[in-house]
Amino acid sequence: MTDYYSEKLSAERLRAVYDLAPPRTKAYLEAEIDLVLERISPGMIALELGCGYGRVLKRLVDKVRVAVGIDTSVTSLQMARDFVGAFPSLHLAAMNAAGMGLGGRAFDITICIQNGISAFHVDRRKLFAEAVRVTKPGGTVLFSSYSPKFWNHRLEWFEIQAAHGLVGEIDCQRTGNGVIVAKDGFTGTAVGDAEFETLAVSVGQRANIMEVDNSSLFCEITVA
């Protein structure tokens, strides 16, 4: 399960996941990017964890001084280079977000949105600790997951993915209470406000929890 996205949902297949999203899901995706764009400015050095084929990076690369994207899928990163375009300020690297080979206190903002915290299937405390470690004091760390209010739309989106063979058939008996299970081994979870707060405290930080668009739950940390 750890490598599900890099092995089965990378590059063109990952892009198809987003291209097939129904209108309400596309609104959710846009609302998340809008919040990120509100937090950035031209002088910033920005890092995206789990950048995939560059869908988010494409929206922010020309609005910051330097944009760095990491992902475990080399094929997704290769696609990101073409999808985002030729920007000298863009840097891409293959690495695990829970154990980054990056220097500390390097970034003004570190983002891990659209439920990457669950999709990566890594130790969440290590993921939080790494995100904080690489972010400058006073800088911003942003994580997001799904709001419970978005459950029906989220399930619809995964049913569409399953119908197109992008994930396995949804296991209806095991799917519910915020967890989506497919018969090919895929499992999609979500993180609630209490867990976000606990994770932040575990790495010595304070969390600001926000619900956005009745679809996302954001955890924002201003690094101490």
Side-chain angles (χ1 to χ4, degrees):
M1 185 62 221
T2 301
D3 297 320
Y4 191 96
Y5 276 88
S6 59
E7 292 179 1
K8 297 184 179 182
L9 275 181
S10 60
E12 293 289 353
R13 288 175 63 82
L14 182 60
R15 182 172 180 177
V17 165
Y18 291 100
D19 289 344
L20 289 167
R24 180 65 185 90
T25 298
K26 288 185 175 178
Y28 140 73
L29 296 168
E30 284 298 307
E32 290 219 334
I33 294 175
D34 287 345
L35 187 140
V36 172
L37 294 177
E38 289 172 2
R39 299 298 194 273
I40 64 173
S41 59
M44 284 185 168
I45 301 174
L47 171 65
E48 184 185 8
L49 310 181
C51 66
Y53 67 91
R55 196 180 61 83
V56 177
L57 283 174
K58 189 178 182 71
R59 299 285 295 278
L60 62 84
V61 67
D62 62 345
K63 297 177 176 60
V64 294
R65 181 158 62 93
V66 177
V68 178
I70 69 166
D71 202 278
T72 57
S73 169
V74 173
T75 56
S76 286
L77 291 168
Q78 290 169 340
M79 183 175 174
R81 178 65 64 185
D82 292 332
F83 182 76
V84 177
F87 287 88
S89 58
L90 175 66
H91 303 276
L92 302 171
M95 64 180 69
N96 190 316
M100 290 182 274
L102 298 171
R105 302 187 171 197
F107 298 94
D108 298 292
I109 185 167
T110 298
I111 66 171
C112 179
I113 64 172
Q114 289 159 15
N115 205 39
I117 186 172
S118 296
F120 296 169
H121 287 268
V122 297
D123 183 307
R124 291 173 182 172
R125 186 187 179 284
K126 288 182 179 178
L127 182 61
F128 258 61
E130 277 291 88
V132 170
R133 181 186 68 81
V134 300
T135 306
K136 298 175 183 178
T140 300
V141 174
L142 283 174
F143 283 95
S144 76
S145 191
Y146 295 107
S147 165
K149 296 176 183 176
F150 196 64
W151 170 253
N152 289 337
H153 301 290
R154 179 183 165 207
L155 181 57
E156 177 193 18
W157 187 24
F158 276 91
E159 287 172 340
I160 291 170
Q161 294 173 45
H164 285 81
L166 297 169
V167 298
E169 180 185 352
I170 302 300
D171 188 333
C172 297
Q173 292 186 331
R174 299 170 64 197
T175 292
N177 297 318
V179 179
I180 294 175
V181 180
K183 294 180 179 179
D184 66 347
F186 173 87
T187 301
T189 61
V191 177
D193 52 0
E195 184 175 358
F196 271 138
E197 289 174 356
T198 298
L199 285 165
V201 169
S202 75
V203 295
Q205 304 294 322
R206 179 176 292 181
N208 175 32
I209 310 298
M210 304 167 284
E211 187 176 67
V212 176
D213 185 50
N214 288 325
S215 56
S216 296
L217 200 64
F218 267 86
C219 174
E220 181 176 32
I221 293 171
T222 300
V223 176

